[in-house]
Amino acid sequence: MANDLKSGETTIQSDVRREQPLARVQAVPWLIVIVLLATVAWLGWRAFLYQEEGDPVGSAMLAFEKQNSLTVFSSRFEVVAESVDRRGLLNLDLLESRQAAIIPATVEYRLDLSTMDRDRFAWDADGEELTVTLPPLRISRPNLDEAAQKTFTEGTYVSRDASADLARNNSQQAERKAAEFAKNPQVLALARQAAKEAVRQNLAIPLQVAGYGDVTVEVRFDGEAAG
């Protein structure tokens, strides 16, 4: 019986599995999020903050690119015109009428920016100064506010035709006088100074935003000596 008894051998196989640590498994999604955030931050810095060594003149020209004309000054004033009308028969002036008019007028001073090519800009890298040379100002045709005019008429009898002729002559005279006044040296000096200030403001801030620092913008007109 003893021989019939066989000792049974029990083989125990250990099922060994290599498991990922729980902390490492949970960290993977966070790493992906961090990488995505870093990528977005880099793209944003590249697009809005990063500045390669650029061209200040090109940046200045870009500020004017979409403006063909810039109104820098407007002057409103009053002009006085006076006309006389004589009418009669057989070459005899029997009727005489006179009309004086005080007419408000407005004149605008503009810069033609379409002529602002690269030759009108000079960049001094050492002094961080941009010099801009402007073309002559363009003066608009006087705009007469005839609805607000004041008229004073004299005459024993002023016919409808005479009144129309007096008004037309006064308007033409007022326009000529307004155009002459617009070229007055004192008014023109104010307009030129306003143009320089407008150009400085239009260029200084965009250049700072573009990363060129506190740039000095020197503005002058054709024929002016450097300030």
Side-chain angles (χ1 to χ4, degrees), residues 23-33:
R24 183 180 299 177
V25 173
Q26 293 178 342
V28 172
W30 287 106
L31 287 175
I32 295 175
V33 172

Side-chain angles (χ1 to χ4, degrees), residues 119-136:
D119 293 338
R120 290 189 172 274
F121 298 86
W123 170 245
D124 178 10
D126 295 332
E128 293 186 339
E129 180 178 272
L130 179 68
T131 301
V132 184
T133 305
L134 300 177

Side-chain angles (χ1 to χ4, degrees), residues 184-200:
N184 182 291
Q186 294 180 345
V187 179
L188 194 56
L190 292 175
R192 289 161 68 95
Q193 185 60 35
K196 293 179 181 180
E197 292 298 329
V199 170
R200 288 192 188 99

Side-chain angles (χ1 to χ4, degrees), residues 59-104:
S59 298
M61 293 178 66
L62 186 62
F64 288 151
E65 185 177 18
K66 297 182 179 180
Q67 302 182 67
N68 290 326
S69 178
L70 179 64
T71 299
V72 296
F73 189 73
S74 178
S75 178
R76 183 176 175 86
F77 48 89
E78 292 181 335
V79 291
V80 178
E82 185 176 357
S83 298
V84 177
D85 182 83
R86 295 182 177 87
R87 296 174 185 267
L89 297 174
L90 301 175
N91 296 323
L92 297 176
D93 295 331
L94 301 178
L95 298 176
E96 179 179 295
S97 55
R98 184 186 306 270
Q99 185 181 86
I102 302 175
I103 307 176

Side-chain angles (χ1 to χ4, degrees), residues 128-149:
E128 293 186 339
E129 180 178 272
L130 179 68
T131 301
V132 184
T133 305
L134 300 177
L137 286 174
R138 291 189 173 183
I139 305 175
S140 71
R141 180 178 177 179
N143 181 21
L144 301 180
D145 187 3
E146 294 181 299
Q149 69 177 328

Side-chain angles (χ1 to χ4, degrees), residues 161-175:
D161 291 341
S163 179
D165 287 344
L166 289 170
R168 181 170 57 254
N169 292 336
N170 279 342
S171 294
Q172 294 173 353
Q173 187 181 147
E175 184 172 339

